[in-house]
């Protein structure tokens, strides 16, 4: 349940990645660099009917497609005399110079009403070995196909055509190991094995996939550690929700094209490598719910494209944040450091990152007062500072309080209060207990103290509310990213061009 992108958006991303790859250059001649096998002429499918009389699908491939369709319970397809003319969603063909059509893409699974690929009969489907008779295949996409007939990912997929660029086996209920042989698909750009029941470790052979743009192995039960990574053009690396142990390899810093790293919900330990600072394109880093136990590397301040940093639920070695912490992270919009064992004051540098929209520092041992420059965070829509030891007056008034409303959480900070003339109270929804009380008017020369706590004994919010809103929150954080910057969406579209 814990992925940063809501499922629809993930699927959309997969679609963009997998479908746009063959579609972005519709009228070019693809010249194979190894053989003349795949000297296909790219063209729109409609060109087939009008001026390509006599064109027909390669007979061997046609038989292979029948086999593959039968193996997924789609026997209807065997009545189609020419599969490339069948034009169902989920098959794409391209002609070669002799006007023979070759299958370049096969997709299965009902993604949405708009993308109705043939569905599989989930009780008896399997991947037919005949798939190896499609030497021009670029995209293979199976979604929710084998759920009730659990089976390993067949090793023969590793012998698929070297033209294969996209292999998606999402939510198929696959069991067992990731076949080492997949490392032979050295032209792959997209490998997506999200949400299966794969176990064992990530095969080192996948390190040979040097052209990968997106690697998603999330939501399996993979064990072992993350091998030394060297993916020069990798944009998306999602290993979240597995059982991975060991430390984050410092070679991660050599994957210079990374835009998104999600290692959340594993058992990774040690530190975030200093090399992370060289990932200049990085927009999103989610390492939440691991066992990382060292303070943040100083190099993290070099991540000036980073928009979301999520480290919630790591012990992070009882760190105090330096006063320059986060300086340089100009693009930061979302900072989630809840329950990371932070001590000492909230650094003032945070208040200078005026793109910030979401700050969660709850459940730490932060003390001192909220930096006064937090009032300059005009984009802030969500602030959680509850369950700390913060003291003194809240430095913002009506407007910010009103804007954040219930997304402002300050309770369980025994020394935190608001000034009578700050407008803080006016900004509050009358039914909402902020959990903090009015500050004493300071005596000349004396420190401010809290006059009283709110009626509900510190105003602790019921934690049930927190939990039930957590899932919604994930989606809303993501939507905010999309709406307010469109950066992730556009970069992901960009990936496939
Ligand atoms: C292309 O195909 C022809 C005929 O099948 C063959 O003779 C030739 O060696 C092939 N060329 C390459 C570069 O593989
Ligand atoms: C992996 O899963 C398979 C099938 O579910 C099981 O037979 C095997 O024992 C598991 N292996 C490990 C190392 O957990
Ligand atoms: C594919 O990979 C396996 C294991 O990684 C290897 O033993 C085999 O030789 C490879 N096959 C080809 C055709 O490259
Ligand atoms: C904050 O806590 C640290 C110990 O973690 C302590 O040394 C420091 O004096 C405290 N500062 C304030 C303002 O309470």
């Amino acid at each position: 349940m814990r992925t940063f992108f809501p499922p629809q958006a993930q699927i959309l991303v997969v679609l963009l990645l997998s479908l746009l790859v063959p579609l972005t250059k519709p009228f070019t001649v693809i010249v194979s660099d190894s053989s003349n096998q795949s000297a296909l002429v790219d063209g729109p499918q409609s060109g087939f009917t009008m001026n390509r009389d006599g064109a027909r699908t390669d007979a061997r491939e046609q038989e292979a497609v029948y086999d593959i369709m039968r193996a997924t319970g789609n026997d209807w397809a065997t009545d189609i005399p020419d599969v490339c003319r069948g034009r169902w969603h989920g098959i794409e063909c391209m002609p070669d110079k002799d006007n023979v059509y070759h299958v370049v893409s096969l997709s299965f699974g009902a993604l949405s009403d708009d993308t109705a690929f043939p569905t599989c009969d989930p009780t008896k489907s399997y991947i037919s070995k005949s798939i190896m008779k499609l030497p021009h295949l670029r995209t293979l996409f199976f979604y929710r196909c084998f759920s009730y007939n659990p089976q390993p990912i067949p090793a023969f997929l590793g012998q698929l055509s070297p033209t294969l660029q996209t292999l998606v086996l999402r939510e198929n209920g696959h069991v067992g190991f990731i076949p080492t042989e997949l490392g032979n698909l050295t032209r792959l750009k997209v490998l997506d094995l999200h949400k299966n029941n794969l176990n064992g470790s990530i095969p080192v052979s996948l390190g040979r996939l040097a052209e990968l743009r997106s690697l998603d192995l999330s939501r399996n039960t993979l064990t072992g550690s993350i091998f030394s990574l060297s993916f020069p053009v990798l944009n998306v690396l999602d290993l979240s929700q597995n059982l991975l142990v060991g430390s984050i390899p410092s070679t991660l810093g050599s994957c210079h094209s990374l835009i998104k790293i999600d290692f959340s919900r594993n058992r990774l330990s040690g530190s975030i490598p200093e090399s992370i600072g060289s990932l200049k394109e990085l927009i999103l880093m989610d390492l939440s719910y691991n066992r990382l136990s060292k303070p943040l590397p100083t190099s993290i301040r070099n991540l000036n494209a980073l928009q979301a940093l999520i480290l919630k639920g790591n012990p992070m070695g009882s760190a105090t944040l330096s006063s320059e912490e986060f300086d340089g992270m100009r693009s930061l919009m979302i900072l989630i450091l809840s329950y990371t064992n932070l001590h000492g004051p909230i650094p003032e540098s945070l208040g200078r990152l005026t793109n910030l929209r979401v700050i969660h520092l709850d459940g730490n041992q932060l003390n001192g007062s909220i930096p006064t420059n937090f009032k300059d965070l005009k984009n802030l829509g969500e602030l959680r500072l509850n369950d700390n030891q913060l003291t003194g007056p809240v430095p913002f008034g009506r407007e910010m309080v009103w804007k954040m409303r219930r997304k402002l959480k300050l309770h369980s900070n025994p020394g935190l209060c608001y000034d009578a003339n700050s407008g803080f109270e006016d900004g509050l929804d009358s039914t909402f207990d902020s959990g903090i009380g009015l500050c004493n008017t300071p005596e000349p020369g004396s420190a401010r103290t809290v006059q009283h706590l709110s009626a509900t004994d510190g105003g602790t919010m019921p934690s049930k509310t927190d939990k039930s809103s957590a899932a919604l929150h994930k989606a809303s954080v993501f939507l905010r990213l999309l709406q307010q910057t469109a950066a992730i969406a556009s970069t992901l579209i960009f990936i496939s061009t």
Side-chain angles (χ1 to χ4, degrees):
M1 74 161 219
R2 172 66 193 90
T3 50
F4 194 78
F5 293 88
Q8 276 79 355
Q10 286 193 335
I11 287 164
L12 186 71
V13 165
V14 170
L15 267 185
L16 290 172
L17 286 169
S18 59
L19 299 183
L20 292 188
V21 169
L23 293 179
T24 41
K25 294 174 188 162
F27 297 105
T28 52
V29 176
I30 308 293
V31 182
S32 168
D33 43 13
S34 55
S35 67
N36 50 15
Q37 254 186 357
S38 57
L40 302 182
V41 182
D42 278 324
Q45 306 247 323
S46 57
F48 195 30
T49 46
M50 298 306 289
N51 49 14
R52 291 192 179 276
D53 285 341
R56 54 184 308 274
T57 306
D58 180 283
R60 208 170 121 85
E61 295 183 36
Q62 165 112 348
E63 285 306 316
V65 170
Y66 287 160
D67 288 348
I68 296 159
M69 295 303 278
R70 271 193 291 261
T72 53
N74 289 294
D75 300 58
W76 53 265
T78 57
D79 293 337
I80 296 174
D82 191 326
V83 291
C84 287
R85 270 192 227 251
R87 292 173 59 82
W88 70 79
H89 288 288
I91 188 167
E92 285 173 45
C93 303
M94 282 183 188
D96 63 18
K97 59 183 184 339
D98 299 323
N99 234 1
V100 176
Y101 270 73
H102 300 282
V103 179
V104 295
S105 173
L106 279 178
S107 303
F108 294 88
L111 278 173
S112 69
D113 294 343
D114 299 335
T115 47
F117 299 141
T119 52
C120 301
D121 178 342
T123 60
K124 60 172 199 194
S125 291
Y126 62 95
I127 303 180
S128 165
K129 217 169 174 175
S130 293
I131 215 142
M132 288 157 67
K133 297 177 191 159
L134 302 176
H136 303 276
L137 204 59
R138 296 178 191 177
T139 298
L140 189 56
F141 186 104
F142 284 99
Y143 173 67
R144 293 190 178 169
C145 267
F146 320 107
S147 319
Y148 300 101
N149 184 20
Q151 53 199 284
I153 296 175
F156 63 71
L157 292 185
Q159 294 165 42
L160 279 174
S161 154
T163 55
L164 195 72
Q165 296 182 351
T166 299
L167 177 59
V168 176
L169 300 171
R170 275 179 90 85
E171 302 187 33
N172 283 317
H174 286 300
V175 295
F177 298 162
I178 299 176
T180 322
E181 287 80 359
L182 295 190
N184 290 345
L185 299 170
T186 51
R187 305 296 298 277
L188 270 190
K189 289 177 164 44
V190 176
L191 177 58
D192 182 346
L193 307 179
H194 169 79
K195 204 174 173 188
N196 286 287
N197 295 310
L198 299 167
N199 63 7
S201 54
I202 304 173
V204 178
S205 66
L206 296 191
R208 295 173 54 206
L209 306 179
E211 295 179 25
L212 274 184
R213 302 297 187 97
S214 176
L215 177 59
D216 186 348
L217 306 178
S218 60
R219 239 182 135 175
N220 283 288
T221 52
L222 299 170
T223 50
S225 53
I226 303 174
F227 60 79
S228 171
L229 302 161
S230 170
F231 295 110
V233 293
L234 191 66
N235 296 129
V236 174
L237 179 55
D238 191 344
L239 305 179
S240 64
Q241 301 187 84
N242 280 291
L243 303 168
L244 300 170
V245 296
S247 52
I248 299 173
S250 64
T251 49
L252 185 64
S254 71
C255 305
H256 291 292
S257 307
L258 278 170
I259 292 170
K260 170 186 166 179
I261 298 173
D262 190 348
F263 292 166
S264 64
R265 294 187 189 264
N266 278 287
R267 297 168 179 180
L268 301 170
S269 55
S271 55
I272 300 173
E274 196 69 46
S275 62
I276 204 94
S278 49
L279 301 179
K280 301 291 185 204
E281 322 260 308
L282 197 62
I283 290 178
L284 186 157
M285 178 157 73
D286 188 349
L287 305 177
S288 59
Y289 300 105
N290 275 288
R291 297 170 183 175
L292 301 171
S293 59
K294 298 279 162 39
L296 288 173
T298 49
S299 66
I300 208 160
R301 293 171 210 170
N302 301 338
L303 298 178
N304 44 43
L306 196 69
Q307 294 178 8
L309 177 62
I310 305 169
L311 299 175
K312 182 176 185 174
N314 283 285
M316 301 305 282
S318 302
T320 56
L321 296 170
S322 93
S323 58
E324 291 88 44
E325 200 82 52
F326 313 116
D327 250 1
M329 298 172 76
R330 293 190 297 272
S331 310
L332 201 62
M333 296 198 289
I334 297 170
L335 178 66
I336 301 193
L337 298 177
S338 318
Y339 300 95
T340 48
N341 239 328
L342 295 172
H343 287 67
I346 299 175
E348 208 163 304
S349 51
L350 208 50
R352 291 194 288 269
L353 303 180
T354 51
N355 285 315
L356 275 169
R357 284 151 167 85
V358 176
I359 301 177
H360 292 184
L361 298 174
D362 50 307
N364 286 298
Q365 281 101 57
L366 296 166
N367 65 7
S369 52
I370 302 175
T372 51
N373 63 3
F374 265 44
K375 69 178 184 314
D376 304 328
L377 295 174
K378 299 293 183 216
N379 293 309
L380 200 60
E382 188 164 330
L383 177 64
R384 291 192 197 169
L385 298 175
N386 53 286
D387 297 284
N388 279 292
Q389 275 105 53
L390 297 168
T391 53
V394 174
F396 41 77
R398 180 174 46 219
E399 212 173 313
M400 277 184 75
V401 173
W402 186 83
K403 191 171 159 204
M404 291 190 268
R405 289 183 241 193
R406 282 158 197 267
K407 290 179 180 164
L408 175 63
K409 297 194 174 166
L410 301 173
H411 62 87
S412 307
N413 282 289
L416 207 58
C417 60
Y418 62 89
D419 277 331
N421 58 1
S422 66
F424 181 91
E425 207 167 13
D426 306 342
L428 288 177
D429 181 332
S430 61
T431 63
F432 176 57
D433 185 352
S434 70
I436 62 169
L438 196 61
C439 300
N440 267 341
T441 314
E443 304 289 331
S446 79
R448 291 164 194 265
T449 52
V450 183
Q451 189 181 43
H452 64 82
L453 297 174
S454 75
T456 56
D457 188 28
T460 314
M461 295 280 292
S463 62
K464 250 186 270 170
T465 323
D466 280 2
K467 273 182 198 151
S468 64
S469 67
L472 268 179
H473 167 69
K474 296 292 164 3
S476 77
V477 164
F478 174 73
L479 284 177
R480 208 167 294 136
L481 259 178
L482 280 183
Q483 288 163 354
Q484 293 179 346
T485 73
I488 289 190
S490 58
T491 31
L492 285 173
I493 290 164
F494 174 74
I495 287 168
S496 43
T497 60

